[in-house]
Amino acid sequence: DWSSDVCSSDLLNYSEIGARIARRRRQLGMKQFEVEEKADISYKYLSNIERGISIPSLEVLMRLAEVLKTTPD
């Protein structure tokens, strides 16, 4: 649910995707390092995704969705 309605002229709004990921993580009461460990992503990568600095691959988005118990749409 955190990546729906974030398309603008066929371009993804990665800041909005990151904000939705952060919101879902907080809803679950998880720390960034916990999500990074479970999704097998490097230290601080989640922080960069959440702030719209890093653009995650589809594979990373799928792993994050699984850890956050949601869907990538």
Side-chain angles (χ1 to χ4, degrees):
D1 293 307
W2 37 260
S3 66
S4 62
D5 303 323
V6 293
C7 290
S8 173
S9 302
D10 295 330
L11 297 174
L12 291 176
N13 181 337
Y14 292 103
S15 293
E16 179 62 24
I17 291 172
R20 289 173 184 237
I21 291 170
R23 189 166 44 247
R24 178 63 179 158
R25 176 180 58 78
R26 287 191 296 270
Q27 285 174 345
L28 295 174
M30 296 180 78
K31 301 288 185 195
Q32 285 180 337
F33 78 90
E34 294 173 306
V35 175
E36 288 167 340
E37 261 183 20
K38 291 180 180 197
D40 193 30
I41 59 177
S42 62
Y43 177 71
K44 292 290 184 187
Y45 186 36
L46 181 60
S47 173
N48 288 339
I49 292 171
E50 289 183 353
R51 292 180 292 139
I53 294 170
S54 293
I55 298 172
S57 67
L58 182 57
E59 179 185 342
V60 168
L61 284 175
M62 296 302 290
R63 290 198 313 249
L64 288 171
E66 185 176 329
V67 170
L68 297 173
K69 300 179 174 95
T70 190
T71 60
D73 60 345

